[in-house]
Amino acid sequence: MTTTPTADAGPGEQLDALDRRLIHALSLDGRASFSRLAAVLGVTDQTVVRRYRRLHGERLLRVIGLPAADRLGMSENWLRIQCAPGAAAPIADALARRPDTGWVKIHSGGSEVACVVRSFSTDERDALLLQKLPRTQHVTGFTAQTLLHTFTSTTPSRWLDGSGLTAEQARELARPQPAGDGEEIRPDAADHILLDLLARDGRTGYPELARATGRSESTVRRRLEHLREAGALYFDVEILPVHFGLTVQAALFATVAPHNLDEAGRALARHPEIPWVAAATGTTNLVGTVLCRDRRALYTYVTEGIGALRTVQQLEIVPVLRHVKRAGLLTDGARLREPPAR
């Protein structure tokens, strides 16, 4: 594990057993100290530091801090943008450079761009939806769905197939479920800086967070912990699914009856093929992401996995042609290494 991985390395070749356990550990507590991680994994602090720095430095792993929109007064919209032939790539690149976009991808066929837009105010949202997009050259149309409730968050632990932590190790790192109730949290200017830094690197140290926000380290530590306990901020691990042998990605759009929406969303969230699914406005009131090993596995999942859910009335599966941005990370200047699609 000392050589630099190349772009054409096969799935799984860059991750050994300790790497996978470390990834699982960070998915449970992305800000756990190196000493705590080492104690749980049964290795030295120096080993954990070296492993983490290699994975992070080679763009194989990133811990990210993500806001919970419903707790912070944000609106989240899922956009499907239809483009003129040949225009999808530059439009996707322009969207990816916006600070308010999360996942930006180009769907198969190459003429549709999909992305998640997070806005702290209706003015921010409307500026994009009512002014910029309609005036953008080569945009032929778009739909916007408001995300109402997220059932899952992306975590690689479900893809480890028994190669992650033991149940006892996982219990040592697992954090209590956030309260997620009470009054909405209105972030101030310092909070915005804090969230921006953690979105780029969820393990940013307290001294750097304190300098950037103008707060003391103890104040930053307390504020960060308060946001986590209130369910307004959570930490996830971003790693390319192809490194777990998952080479096919697709977007899911499903229609269910309103009284079955929660049941269907929770059922999909339990499927290992679904890293993220959310209830949304519109006729396709469940949107999500599907990850499978290959096209045959995708067919099996659609026919047997989703097919077993009698609550799903209509289904659209759209393969992803290209990821342009992942959870706030541009794929150009700070690209995660992604082997070519198979």
Side-chain angles (χ1 to χ4, degrees):
M1 299 298 291
T2 58
T3 59
T4 300
T6 59
D8 57 357
E13 293 179 10
Q14 300 167 27
L15 303 173
D16 65 12
L18 180 55
D19 291 332
R20 289 169 178 259
R21 291 197 296 273
L22 176 57
I23 290 167
H24 190 179
L26 289 169
S27 75
L28 295 171
D29 186 356
R31 287 192 65 87
S33 67
F34 287 127
S35 59
R36 184 158 184 247
L37 292 169
V40 171
L41 295 172
V43 296
T44 65
D45 294 12
Q46 293 80 2
T47 297
V48 171
V49 171
R50 283 197 303 268
R51 289 299 181 111
Y52 174 78
R53 287 179 176 171
R54 181 185 64 78
L55 292 171
H56 186 267
E58 294 175 357
R59 306 298 180 184
L60 292 172
L61 165 73
R62 194 169 66 121
V63 175
I64 50 178
L66 297 174
D70 59 337
R71 297 291 293 124
L72 291 170
M74 303 172 68
S75 67
E76 284 187 303
N77 288 274
W78 177 269
L79 306 186
R80 298 181 71 177
I81 304 165
Q82 290 74 48
C83 310
I91 288 173
D93 289 341
L95 284 167
R97 284 170 173 76
R98 292 179 59 92
D100 57 352
T101 58
W103 291 263
V104 179
K105 58 191 76 174
I106 300 175
H107 287 163
S108 65
S111 61
E112 181 176 273
V113 175
C115 69
V116 171
V117 177
R118 296 189 179 99
S119 307
F120 275 100
S121 70
T122 56
D123 289 341
E124 290 178 359
R125 180 199 63 198
D126 293 348
L128 175 64
L129 299 184
L130 302 181
Q131 300 175 31
K132 294 183 180 179
L133 273 180
R135 297 174 185 172
T136 300
Q137 190 176 14
H138 303 307
V139 169
T140 60
F142 69 92
T143 59
Q145 295 174 265
T146 299
L147 301 183
L148 303 174
H149 178 74
T150 299
F151 294 99
T152 61
S153 63
T154 303
T155 175
S157 61
R158 61 174 64 201
W159 308 331
L160 292 171
D161 295 330
S163 61
L165 301 177
T166 65
E168 182 178 351
Q169 289 174 319
R171 281 194 296 271
E172 288 186 55
L173 283 169
R175 289 177 56 87
Q177 287 294 315
D181 53 13
E183 292 187 3
E184 201 173 79
I185 296 174
R186 291 292 181 177
D188 59 20
D191 288 333
H192 282 290
I193 296 171
L194 180 69
L195 292 170
D196 286 344
L197 287 172
L198 294 173
R200 291 196 291 270
D201 182 358
R203 291 186 65 83
T204 301
Y206 289 110
E208 184 178 344
L209 294 174
R211 285 193 298 271
T213 59
R215 293 169 166 169
S216 68
E217 287 188 39
S218 59
T219 299
V220 168
R221 188 185 297 269
R222 286 194 302 271
R223 184 58 173 171
L224 193 155
E225 193 61 27
H226 172 68
L227 292 173
R228 294 184 80 179
E229 290 178 352
L233 171 68
Y234 65 96
F235 290 88
D236 215 333
V237 170
E238 184 177 62
I239 185 166
L240 293 176
V242 72
H243 297 306
F244 293 98
L246 303 170
T247 63
V248 172
Q249 303 182 45
L252 174 151
F253 302 94
T255 301
V256 303
H259 64 277
N260 290 326
L261 186 58
D262 190 71
E263 176 189 351
R266 292 180 185 277
L268 285 170
R270 290 192 290 268
H271 293 181
E273 295 86 356
I274 303 289
W276 175 82
V277 63
T281 58
T283 54
T284 54
N285 49 4
L286 278 176
V287 298
T289 299
V290 183
L291 294 170
C292 293
R293 294 195 174 275
D294 50 35
R295 290 180 178 84
R296 180 178 297 180
L298 177 61
Y299 173 77
T300 300
Y301 174 62
V302 169
T303 56
E304 298 179 8
I306 301 178
L309 300 179
R310 303 304 180 191
T311 54
V312 175
Q313 300 172 343
Q314 294 183 7
L315 178 68
E316 182 183 8
I317 298 292
V318 183
V320 173
L321 184 65
R322 174 188 163 200
H323 257 103
V324 182
K325 187 178 185 180
R326 297 173 182 273
L329 177 69
L330 287 173
T331 60
D332 50 3
R335 175 162 44 200
L336 292 176
R337 299 178 182 275
E338 182 169 14
R342 298 189 171 192

